[in-house]
Amino acid sequence: MGTVDFQHLEEKFFLTLNELDKTVLTIPAFDLLKVENMNHLIDTYGTLIKAKERSAAAAFFISWYAGVCGAMQHMLYQGNVLLLDLSLSNLSVQLYVVDGYPLFSFKINEVRFIQISIMDWDEGEKKSLDSFYREQVTPIIQLLSQLAPINAIPLWGQIVNALYAQMEEELAEASDEESRTRIISFFKLLTHDVDASAFGLRNNPFNIKPNFIEHPNIPDQKMLVKTACCLAYCLDREFGYCYACPRLKEKDRALMRANGRC
C-alpha cells in the first residue's frame, strides 16, 4: 500500500502539516478561485520578487504549486492505494519570507485520503489523475491566465518542467528495475492516458517530445531543455535566460558554457 513520508513531502514538494509563523499571507487554496483573492496573492508575491510583469509572478507561483502535482505523482510512483487528499479544499497557501527571499508552503489542513479502486487499478489511477488536474489544477491555471494575463500553455509548462525533472530524479534514485518500470509506467499514464480536456487544452501538455542538450558541468551527460520559459529574466534584466531555457539558441548556450555562466 505504501506510506506517506510527510518529511519527504515537505522537503521535496513544499507540503507541510504545520501552520507557519510570521507569514506574509495565508489563504485557503480554494479561495484562490475568487478573482480578488488571486489578484491579492499575485500582487503581494509580485512585489516581493520585484516582478516587472504580473505574468512573471504567475509563472513563479505555478512553479511552486507544481510541488503539489509532484507529490501526487510521487505517491503513485510509490504504489500507494491511498492517496493523500491534495484538493484545493484541503490546502492552505502560506507565503513567507526567509532571509529576504519569499517562499511558498502548502499546508495540508486535514490528513485524509482518497482510495484507488483495487478492482481496476489502472483505471482507478487514471481517474485519480484526471480528477486531480480537471478539478484542482486547471481552474487555478485558467484564472491566473486571465488575470496575469498570460497564455495557459507557459503556465502548464512550469508544471511540465518540474514533473519531467522529478521523474528523472526518481529514476536515478530507484533501487531496482521494478521501481524504475513503475515510475515510467505512471508517468506514461499522465502523459498519454489523461485526456486533454482535463487540462482545458486541445492537447495534453505533458505529452511532449523531450529535447536534450549538453550538460554544462558534467561531461558526456545530457540535460532536458525546459518546456517553457520560467520568466526569470522579467525579474532581473541582467540575469537573462536560463541555460536550459527553450528561448535560447545553441550558440548562446555554447557561449554560456565557455564563459562559465550556466
Side-chain angles (χ1 to χ4, degrees), residues 13-233:
F13 306 113
F14 321 122
L15 289 164
T16 183
L17 297 174
N18 303 313
E19 188 171 319
L20 303 180
D21 295 328
K22 300 180 180 179
T23 55
V24 176
L25 179 65
T26 300
I27 186 170
F30 189 77
D31 286 353
L32 289 180
L33 296 180
K34 299 176 181 177
V35 170
E36 61 272 21
N37 292 327
M38 183 66 85
N39 274 329
H40 183 44
L41 176 74
I42 295 305
D43 288 341
T44 302
Y45 181 49
T47 298
L48 290 174
I49 61 175
K50 300 178 181 177
K52 297 177 176 64
E53 301 175 10
R54 297 187 91 211
S55 56
F60 268 60
F61 170 69
I62 286 297
S63 70
W64 283 97
Y65 184 58
V68 179
C69 303
M72 171 63 73
Q73 204 67 25
H74 177 73
M75 288 187 288
L76 291 174
Y77 291 160
Q78 296 299 304
N80 290 16
V81 176
L82 297 176
L83 299 179
L84 190 64
D85 182 0
L86 300 179
S87 61
L88 295 174
S89 62
N90 197 37
L91 296 176
S92 292
V93 179
Q94 301 181 112
L95 174 60
Y96 63 108
V97 177
V98 174
D99 297 328
Y101 192 82
L103 309 169
F104 279 104
S105 178
F106 299 90
K107 180 181 178 294
I108 300 168
N109 298 328
E110 179 184 347
V111 178
R112 61 193 189 207
F113 297 88
I114 300 171
Q115 184 166 359
I116 297 178
S117 172
I118 59 175
M119 299 300 293
D120 191 345
W121 184 272
D122 290 341
E123 187 63 24
E125 290 161 339
K126 176 183 174 180
K127 287 182 177 178
S128 296
L129 280 173
D130 185 292
S131 174
F132 173 69
Y133 281 97
R134 189 182 301 272
E135 299 172 13
Q136 315 305 328
V137 186
T138 297
I140 290 287
I141 286 186
Q142 288 179 333
L143 183 57
L144 267 178
S145 176
Q146 296 170 20
L147 299 179
I150 181 175
N151 190 285
I153 298 297
L155 291 179
W156 278 111
Q158 308 311 312
I159 301 177
V160 175
N161 290 341
L163 265 59
Y164 266 88
Q166 175 191 342
M167 179 192 66
E168 294 291 337
E169 183 177 332
E170 301 232 17
L171 283 173
E173 295 175 351
S175 58
D176 52 56
E177 191 59 35
E178 180 181 351
S179 298
R180 285 187 284 272
T181 299
R182 185 170 63 246
I183 290 169
I184 292 171
S185 175
F186 284 127
F187 197 73
K188 185 177 180 181
L189 189 70
L190 172 63
T191 59
H192 289 79
D193 293 347
V194 179
D195 192 80
S197 63
F199 310 101
L201 301 172
R202 293 182 178 180
N203 299 297
N204 182 324
F206 294 94
N207 188 4
I208 62 171
K209 183 179 180 180
N211 182 24
F212 293 90
I213 54 176
E214 179 181 342
H215 197 287
N217 304 314
I218 306 177
D220 301 322
Q221 184 167 322
K222 300 292 184 180
M223 67 182 297
L224 188 68
V225 176
K226 292 181 179 180
T227 303
C229 176
C230 66
L231 302 184
Y233 72 93

Side-chain angles (χ1 to χ4, degrees), residues 228-245:
C229 176
C230 66
L231 302 184
Y233 72 93
C234 292
L235 308 185
D236 185 347
R237 298 291 181 182
E238 295 183 0
F239 179 82
Y241 298 129
C242 304
Y243 178 76
C245 182

